[in-house]
Amino acid sequence: MHLELTPEQTAVRRLAADFTDREIAPHAAAWDRAEQVDPGIVRALGDLGFLGLTLPEEYGGAGGDHLSYALVTEELGRGDSAVRGIVSVSLGLVAKTIAAWGDEEQKRTWLPRLASGAALGCFGLTEPGTGSDAASLTTRAVRDGGDWVIDGSKMFITNGTWADVVLLFARTGGAPGHQGISAFLVPADAPGLTRRPVHGKLGLRGQATAELVLEGVRVPAAALLGPEGKGFSVAMSALAKGRMSVAAGCVGIAQAALDAALGYAGQREQFGAPIAGRQLVQELLCDIAVDVDAARLLTWRVADLIDRGKPFATEASKAKLFASEAAVRAANNALQVFGGYGYIDEYPVGKLVRDARVMTLYEGTSQIQKLLIGRALTGVSAF
């Protein structure tokens, strides 16, 4: 892997950093308190091409490689992980999956709108009773003539109340486990689909999170994404790449923690001198800096593997596991540098702590990542 960024990648990174510093970071605290980011941010992300990265230009995408995508999601995560989540889900989980599994009509229908920010997607996998055990989902789709009729519910769905299309997973066959699951593209305004916002979250408070309830939702046969019964494969392929963007977002959180801690330590004086000169404070800063670099390199490795067409799933699990746990450590260490002021939301580190914590839970918990890595190492399933 070549660790020097190309001029194009450097330019994309700078564009994302400037946008984050100008349009996201100054508003992050207010959005967190209001429990909603400015909806106008979606169009702005689309106008910059951030919602179309890696998508084919023939479908309205911006092209580009996966390292550029990781650089953008890192910068967005540095500003506000709630905004990063909009991109990671609508582009990373939904649009990329349509590009990989969709037929020509599905690509023409959805990809230009998703890439431009005219539409958002959400990923309907998790249910009230099934999280890590996704193969046990109970939402069901039944054939009725030329249509499918879907009943069930989904929980903790990012972009759920804002989305225009739901990449929904439902059981279509009698086979137990993953064999009977199929994927569907369900318009969010379909009759019988109710969306209920989830409030009171610990972190990612500005992100639109929802419960979806489907009661007799009817979609045509053309809504099936990929072959019938292959929905679990569709979901897992999406999540494998999605773990890279989550890892990149975690690098952004850790970088924000380092930036905040360095700035505060340089100006905060105790015992007649800035605390940056105290060895134990330097130890905290050192630990954050090492976590940032290590997480970033693990994430870049995944992007490099994807771009070269190499297997990457295990490396993505490693990156997601390390980067999410590193983000928690980094945010906690930054709060320690701030002391009591870190507990006040006038300062950024309390939000970083809250936002980092969920990263160890969604798109595969840390425990699930360890099981996947362990299985890859030994060839033996630990489930």
Side-chain angles (χ1 to χ4, degrees):
M1 177 180 176
H2 190 52
L3 294 180
E4 183 177 354
L5 299 179
T6 67
E8 293 78 11
Q9 291 164 341
T10 300
V12 168
R13 189 184 206 182
R14 174 47 51 197
L15 180 65
D18 290 345
F19 176 75
T20 294
D21 291 339
R22 185 179 66 253
E23 303 293 343
I24 298 177
H27 309 292
W31 291 342
D32 184 66
R33 295 183 191 117
E35 294 193 49
Q36 180 175 307
V37 305
D38 179 359
I41 204 73
V42 176
R43 270 296 193 176
L45 292 166
D47 289 343
L48 289 172
F50 293 162
L51 288 168
L53 279 169
T54 76
L55 295 179
E57 295 180 14
E58 63 181 298
Y59 299 109
D65 56 21
H66 284 81
L67 182 51
S68 295
Y69 173 56
L71 295 170
V72 169
T73 49
E74 176 186 331
E75 291 298 334
L76 297 178
R78 180 177 61 82
D80 188 348
S81 215
V83 176
R84 190 276 312 160
I86 294 172
V87 176
S88 289
V89 172
S90 190
L91 169 58
L93 294 184
V94 179
K96 287 186 181 183
T97 305
I98 295 173
W101 291 84
D103 59 31
E104 190 65 21
E105 180 62 26
Q106 290 167 334
K107 293 176 184 178
R108 296 284 177 198
T109 298
W110 290 112
L111 291 185
R113 296 177 61 198
L114 292 169
S116 68
L120 277 181
C122 67
F123 192 75
L125 180 63
T126 299
E127 298 185 353
T130 57
S132 296
D133 186 14
S136 295
L137 63 83
T138 60
T139 297
R140 181 166 291 278
V142 178
R143 284 300 293 260
D144 182 22
D147 295 338
W148 291 93
V149 180
I150 308 173
D151 291 277
S153 61
K154 301 292 178 178
M155 191 63 178
F156 303 129
I157 306 303
T158 299
N159 295 345
T161 53
W162 286 14
D164 300 273
V165 61
V166 185
L167 174 48
L168 186 101
F169 299 89
R171 190 165 298 284
T172 54
H178 62 84
Q179 296 179 1
I181 296 172
S182 298
F184 297 89
L185 295 173
V186 180
D189 60 358
L193 175 55
T194 303
R195 302 186 278 179
R196 299 168 181 165
V198 176
H199 291 300
K201 294 175 293 183
L202 176 67
L204 301 183
R205 293 168 65 87
Q207 200 172 82
T209 306
E211 177 185 12
L212 309 181
V213 179
L214 301 98
E215 298 175 301
V217 174
R218 184 176 291 272
V219 296
L224 185 69
L225 181 69
E228 182 178 345
K230 293 295 184 180
F232 194 76
S233 296
V234 173
M236 293 304 105
S237 66
L239 290 172
K241 285 187 178 178
R243 285 167 187 148
M244 182 197 72
S245 63
V246 172
C250 289
V251 176
I253 292 175
Q255 182 67 59
L258 179 60
D259 294 344
L262 281 171
Y264 185 78
Q267 67 178 7
R268 173 68 168 171
E269 291 193 1
Q270 290 288 275
F271 307 105
I275 63 173
R278 305 297 175 185
Q279 287 180 328
L280 293 179
V281 171
Q282 291 180 354
E283 179 185 33
L284 292 168
L285 297 173
C286 168
D287 288 344
I288 300 172
V290 172
D291 269 339
V292 170
D293 283 356
R296 180 177 287 128
L297 289 172
L298 283 169
T299 303
W300 284 16
R301 179 176 69 164
V302 179
D304 177 66
L305 289 170
I306 296 173
D307 286 331
R308 290 192 292 116
K310 303 292 185 180
F312 64 90
T314 301
E315 287 78 9
S317 285
K318 290 177 180 178
K320 198 272 181 183
L321 169 64
F322 184 88
S324 62
E325 297 290 348
V328 173
R329 290 193 298 269
N332 274 326
N333 283 334
L335 192 148
Q336 199 70 16
V337 172
F338 273 75
Y341 285 108
Y343 244 59
I344 302 171
D345 74 352
E346 178 183 348
Y347 296 88
V349 290
K351 179 180 184 299
L352 294 175
V353 170
R354 292 186 287 105
D355 286 350
R357 189 62 184 85
V358 75
M359 300 299 183
T360 69
L361 299 176
Y362 73 3
E363 294 197 31
T365 64
S366 290
Q367 288 69 34
I368 288 294
Q369 304 311 322
K370 290 179 180 180
L371 291 175
L372 293 172
I373 296 165
R375 178 193 296 173
L377 289 171
T378 64
V380 179
S381 175
F383 287 101

